[in-house]
Amino acid sequence: MSDQLTKDDVSRLLSDPSPNSRSELAVKIAKQFSATTLSDSERRLAEDIIRFMARDAVVRVRQSLAENLKANPALPRDVALMLARDVEAVAIPVLSVSTVLTDADLVELVRTGTDAKHTAIAQRPALSASVADALIDTASEGAVAVLVANESADLGEQTLGRVIERFADSETVQEPLVQRARLPITIAERLVAVVSEKLQQHLVTNHDLPAKVAADLILQSRERATVSLFSGESDEGALERLVAQLSRSGRLTPSLLLRALCMGDSAFFETALSYLANVPLTNARLLIHDAGRLGLKSIYDKAKQPPVLLPACRIALDVLKETPYDGEAYDIERHRRRVIERILTQYEDLAAEDLDYLLDKLGDLMRTETM
């Protein structure tokens, strides 16, 4: 190695002003610097040359040095900082991966850096919480979107809360945030209120939202689609896809089916039982609305639903058939209130969570009518 990296290299560097020559020499020195066989004197000489070349007037020379030393753990910290503070073409390779830079270095570089440098730091593997916090305080929407997409970044509950506060209206940030593999429940609940319907759907099917929150989101989404039911343009295919997706994510619960009925959404209930019982939708509707008492029980049992909730579902269906909309103000709300009141007065075996939900919903509906 000594006959390859000597004072002659320094002499050639000084005597040949060609940028191409210096760039080639930068690559050679950087690669040799990674060798473990360098003696102490050779390593000191290599470091001196690297420091010299890190001040080269030609960007291409410094860039060659940075590209070839960016992942080297033996790179002197002062050189790493020099390169990281350089122009973007030189700094970005080092900022993206260099392990020589400390968290304190990175925080300082965030505070003084450009948007492109922020983005390079945001995608670093195993990014620490302190650096993430600095980015959230300082960086642009695009850089923070890269940060929240970085699954290896240390983003705790407080940090993610600050992301929501600062970028409450930014789908550019919200989408990768919602797509993270894991989110604290508190963060998922906060996101519900600010993200689009499409992203709400992802939250419901991919994160552990509390059952009440998840059910409300699903039913709200269905409620928005109810207009198409009245116009005869209901997209049964879309409803079938929603039911299948909820089933795959474990969200197609008996409780959700009952809640859908209480909200007057018999189409959702029909499609869900059809899917769970593996019965064609037309046949499922005939069984569910059979004038006798056996049709509903037959498909309900085939769908492996809990017997304890069957009477409540039957009550809800009966009220939906017996009580037409009156066409007056708050018609839908009053209709739903009648369904829930009948269930609460005639059925006492609801699980505590379902009972709480129905009582809350009943209170909401009554408040709506008095507004």
Side-chain angles (χ1 to χ4, degrees), residues 8 29 97 113 119 194 208 296 316 319:
D8 290 339
I29 293 170
V97 297
T119 301
V194 298
D208 293 328
L296 175 61
V319 175

Side-chain angles (χ1 to χ4, degrees), residues 28-253:
K28 172 187 172 184
I29 293 170
K31 288 182 177 178
Q32 290 182 354
F33 186 69
S34 300
T36 58
T37 55
L38 287 176
S39 67
D40 290 345
S41 61
E42 289 171 337
R43 186 163 296 280
R44 285 193 298 272
L45 176 60
E47 289 179 0
D48 288 342
I49 298 173
I50 286 169
R51 285 191 178 92
F52 181 84
M53 300 194 81
R55 296 182 178 87
D56 197 288
V58 177
V59 170
R60 179 153 45 100
V61 175
R62 306 196 305 275
Q63 186 177 7
S64 295
L65 200 65
E67 286 284 359
N68 287 278
L69 288 172
K70 62 185 179 183
N72 193 320
L75 179 65
R77 178 166 166 266
D78 64 302
V79 178
L81 279 169
M82 191 185 310
L83 295 172
R85 290 169 178 151
D86 208 327
V87 297
E88 291 174 358
V90 177
I92 286 173
V94 176
L95 290 172
S96 298
V97 297
S98 177
T99 58
V100 175
L101 298 171
T102 67
D103 285 348
D105 294 335
L106 291 168
V107 168
E108 182 266 329
L109 289 162
V110 166
R111 289 172 180 158
T112 60
T114 63
D115 187 53
K117 290 186 178 184
H118 291 163
T119 301
I121 294 171
Q123 64 191 11
R124 286 173 62 88
L127 191 71
S128 73
S130 62
V131 181
D133 285 342
L135 284 166
I136 292 164
D137 289 340
T138 307
S140 69
E141 179 183 53
V144 174
V146 171
L147 170 65
V148 297
N150 182 353
E151 292 285 354
S152 69
D154 184 3
L155 303 180
E157 185 175 339
Q158 286 188 327
T159 297
L160 293 172
R162 289 166 59 208
V163 172
I164 296 173
E165 288 167 8
R166 187 175 171 210
F167 297 99
D169 300 323
S170 170
E171 190 160 341
T172 299
V173 173
Q174 291 167 3
E175 184 157 5
L177 180 54
V178 168
Q179 299 285 344
R180 283 183 71 83
R182 295 186 62 83
L183 285 175
I185 289 177
T186 53
I187 296 302
E189 286 189 89
R190 288 183 65 182
L191 281 169
V192 163
V194 298
V195 300
S196 66
E197 184 179 351
K198 177 187 71 174
L199 297 181
Q200 284 180 348
Q201 183 86 349
H202 187 89
L203 282 169
V204 168
T205 54
N206 291 275
H207 293 289
D208 293 328
L209 287 171
K212 180 180 183 298
V213 175
D216 276 343
L217 280 180
I218 294 164
L219 296 177
Q220 285 167 16
S221 175
R222 288 289 303 139
E223 186 170 354
R224 283 189 286 269
T226 300
V227 175
S228 64
L229 296 177
F230 297 117
S231 66
E233 297 176 357
S234 175
D235 184 352
E236 289 183 356
L239 183 50
E240 288 169 357
R241 290 191 294 274
L242 171 62
V243 165
Q245 184 180 8
L246 291 172
S247 178
R248 287 193 297 270
S249 64
R251 291 293 191 189
L252 193 62
T253 62

Side-chain angles (χ1 to χ4, degrees), residues 287 293-303 310 314:
L287 290 169
R293 309 300 284 178
L294 297 180
L296 175 61
K297 184 179 187 307
S298 171
I299 189 170
Y300 189 89
D301 290 345
K302 186 174 176 59
L310 176 57
R314 192 183 299 281

Side-chain angles (χ1 to χ4, degrees), residues 254 297 300-301 304-314 347 349:
K297 184 179 187 307
Y300 189 89
D301 290 345
K304 296 183 170 57
Q305 296 300 288
V308 69
L309 290 184
L310 176 57
C313 291
R314 192 183 299 281
Y347 188 66
D349 296 329

Side-chain angles (χ1 to χ4, degrees), residues 285-334:
R285 285 172 176 157
L286 290 171
L287 290 169
I288 290 168
H289 299 289
D290 182 9
R293 309 300 284 178
L294 297 180
L296 175 61
K297 184 179 187 307
S298 171
I299 189 170
Y300 189 89
D301 290 345
K302 186 174 176 59
K304 296 183 170 57
Q305 296 300 288
V308 69
L309 290 184
L310 176 57
C313 291
R314 192 183 299 281
I315 290 169
L317 285 167
D318 287 345
V319 175
L320 289 173
K321 285 186 287 188
E322 295 167 3
T323 312
Y325 293 105
D326 56 31
E328 301 296 330
Y330 301 113
D331 186 6
I332 293 175
E333 287 77 8
R334 275 197 303 282

